[in-house]
Amino acid sequence: MVRCLLITMSLMGFGSLLQSQQDTGPISETATPPITAVGSEKVQLSLDQAIRLALENNLDLEVQRIAEARALRDPLIAEAAFDPLFRTGFTWSKSSTTSTGIFEGDEEGITSERDNRNYFLGLSGLMRYGTSWNLRLNGSRSSTTSESGFFSPLNYRGAYDLSLSQPLMQGFGHDITETSLRVALRNAESSRLVMRRAVETTVASVVSSYWDLVYTRQNVDVQQRALVEATELLGINQRRLEVGTGTELDVISAEANIEMQKASIIDAVNQLRDIQDVLLDKVNAPEHRVGGASGPMFRDLEVIPTTSLDLPEFPVEMAQAVEFALETRLELFQRDLDIANSQDQLLLSEDQLRPNLTLSGGWNQPGNDITFDGSWSNIGEDFTWNAGLNFEIPIGNRAARNRMLQSQDDLRRSQISREQAAHGIVLEVTRAVRELLSARQSVETTRAATRLRRKELDGETRRLEVGISTAYQVLQVQNSLLQSQVSELQSQVRLRKAIAAYRNASGTILSGRG
């Protein structure tokens, strides 16, 4: 009953095609074959070569390298806060004054001029416990035209001046002053981890694209073999028609099947070109582009993958895979660095709640003479020192209190973010393991199905040649074999990609690749 239904549907489906052939004549067996050439120049490429070229030339990695180098400079910038600062300066002033009384140094109505020149050299800086220091050498030269006995016509003055300021509560200790340095060091380490993770992701992406290219190339081969078998079926149907055991409808069905196979080859070749461009873009090798590294277009290449699709033994156990991933995934190390930064920020916010108590002091030794050398040689005979305490506390201190609460929230958010990352990694590894196991089973089943479909086709072909089977049945088995071959190829590539995805999820994608 089913066979009768199928035959009826076939006759209905090819009725119009048969009428068309009667009007225009038989379809030529020498129709133009589909173009399967991908490029004019063949380039062999192994998986390891593709990975190496990508690590050297991939633009995303180049951007990340720049970001990493930039982050490595941040600790130097933060530590520069403790570098001493050199200062120097010079001022020159003149004045003219008319005396209005003897108390101004001259008789009334006498005009005198003054010439003052001041200079200094100094160093200042911040120490790791919060101590601010300032050391200065101050000098001056003053001259006057006044003839009063109160003023020397020429006077030089030199002095050493040292001042210190030490916070005793807020801002005290290297735990506070080195906060920015510790954060910068962790950010630099985090950038290094981001760079390594980018390398892992790039390698996984290149591996996936490489196996996609292997699939598309072998898929073209599968489609071409199917075209050969379809052509052989056409020959059998034509011979059967000539001896009177076949029908013209069988020939038309075989010819239609050939055209469908040609269309499939055209689609497969187009997909191959697209996948090849994706891989070449990720590899980004200068020798693959027109004009070298600056060229925007690829050369007319046909990339031939040389790494075998042979499936390796890859045992995996779920619990061990999850445990190992939680120990090796770089995202968790990054979250730990974020937590440490949040803890430092909380420490700094808590420090801002303390009162500001500062101990300050200074020491000055002046020298004075009518000569430059003399003003410096007599330094030490006189001195001045000072010391003091300053205390400040904001009333209410609401800003510092709320900043501390924000820092507590940031710390809690960082801790939750780490938990989320761990959960995400567990989920990713679990799915990767399941996909790997499923892909391995799929390889076994599709391989068996292809083997059985091949036997079925051989049997049906022999039955057709002796007149037991029909051309339609052979055609159906041919299409089933083609689908089985494509499914087997897909499952093999799926397993390869599942292994790469598992290695990427478990943080071992770089293992064994240098």
Side-chain angles (χ1 to χ4, degrees), residues 315-436:
V316 62
E317 198 275 324
M318 180 76 74
Q320 293 179 353
V322 171
E323 182 179 359
F324 187 77
L326 292 176
E327 295 175 355
T328 58
R329 281 290 291 268
L330 303 179
E331 292 90 335
L332 296 183
F333 291 106
Q334 289 179 257
R335 298 300 185 275
D336 290 336
L337 293 174
D338 292 340
I339 291 174
N341 284 343
S342 297
Q343 290 172 336
D344 266 345
Q345 188 59 46
L346 178 58
L347 180 66
L348 192 62
S349 299
E350 291 173 343
D351 178 74
Q352 297 299 310
L353 291 173
R354 299 175 182 174
N356 190 358
L357 178 62
T358 305
L359 173 64
S360 60
W363 178 268
N364 179 271
Q365 287 184 309
N368 191 42
D369 197 77
I370 60 174
T371 65
F372 177 80
D373 294 339
S375 67
W376 288 102
S377 62
N378 64 14
I379 286 180
E381 299 175 1
D382 301 328
F383 67 87
T384 301
W385 66 268
N386 64 82
L389 281 174
N390 295 310
F391 181 77
E392 295 178 353
I393 182 171
I395 303 300
N397 208 8
R398 291 183 298 172
R401 293 182 185 278
N402 283 280
R403 278 194 292 268
M404 183 195 68
L405 294 175
Q406 288 178 334
S407 298
Q408 290 176 343
D409 293 337
D410 291 340
L411 176 58
R412 180 55 183 157
R413 183 172 57 185
S414 299
Q415 293 170 340
I416 294 175
S417 179
R418 190 191 189 283
E419 294 179 9
Q420 289 177 322
H423 293 170
I425 289 172
V426 171
L427 184 60
E428 184 179 352
V429 173
T430 301
R431 289 176 175 174
V433 172
R434 290 172 180 166
E435 170 63 14
L436 197 156

Side-chain angles (χ1 to χ4, degrees), residues 289-310:
R289 292 187 179 273
V290 178
S294 60
M297 294 183 60
F298 295 118
R299 292 161 52 192
D300 188 24
L301 301 176
E302 179 180 357
V303 179
I304 303 175
T306 59
T307 301
S308 174
L309 191 57
D310 292 341

Side-chain angles (χ1 to χ4, degrees), residues 151-336:
F151 302 102
S152 171
L154 181 63
N155 185 49
Y156 287 91
R157 182 180 294 274
Y160 297 109
D161 187 28
L162 174 65
S163 61
L164 299 172
S165 177
Q166 174 63 56
L168 301 179
M169 299 182 71
Q170 185 183 125
F172 174 78
H174 64 85
D175 287 343
I176 301 301
T177 60
E178 294 180 351
T179 298
S180 297
L181 175 59
R182 292 194 301 273
V183 170
L185 287 170
R186 294 191 191 100
N187 289 340
E189 176 64 15
S190 179
S191 180
R192 188 188 68 82
L193 296 176
V194 170
M195 177 63 201
R196 173 162 177 162
R197 186 56 183 164
V199 170
E200 293 179 343
T201 303
T202 300
V203 170
S205 180
V206 170
V207 170
S208 179
S209 295
Y210 187 89
W211 294 125
D212 284 338
L213 179 62
V214 171
Y215 164 74
T216 52
R217 283 187 63 85
Q218 295 194 13
N219 182 51
V220 172
D221 294 338
V222 169
Q223 300 296 335
Q224 288 177 331
R225 289 196 300 268
L227 177 60
V228 171
E229 293 175 346
T231 304
E232 293 175 351
L233 178 61
L234 174 61
I236 294 174
N237 289 341
Q238 288 174 334
R239 289 193 297 271
R240 294 178 67 248
L241 178 61
E242 292 173 357
V243 299
T245 58
T247 65
E248 192 172 4
L249 183 60
D250 292 337
V251 175
I252 294 175
S253 299
E255 289 176 337
N257 187 46
I258 288 176
E259 297 305 320
M260 293 298 296
Q261 293 301 333
K262 290 179 181 179
S264 297
I265 292 175
I266 293 172
D267 291 340
V269 172
N270 186 60
Q271 183 184 23
L272 171 58
R273 292 194 181 103
D274 291 341
I275 294 298
Q276 178 176 290
D277 287 344
V278 171
L279 178 62
L280 289 175
D281 185 65
K282 293 178 180 179
V283 169
N284 196 38
E287 59 267 27
H288 294 162
R289 292 187 179 273
V290 178
S294 60
M297 294 183 60
F298 295 118
R299 292 161 52 192
D300 188 24
L301 301 176
E302 179 180 357
V303 179
I304 303 175
T306 59
T307 301
S308 174
L309 191 57
D310 292 341
L311 304 175
E313 291 294 331
F314 195 81
V316 62
E317 198 275 324
M318 180 76 74
Q320 293 179 353
V322 171
E323 182 179 359
F324 187 77
L326 292 176
E327 295 175 355
T328 58
R329 281 290 291 268
L330 303 179
E331 292 90 335
L332 296 183
F333 291 106
Q334 289 179 257
R335 298 300 185 275
D336 290 336

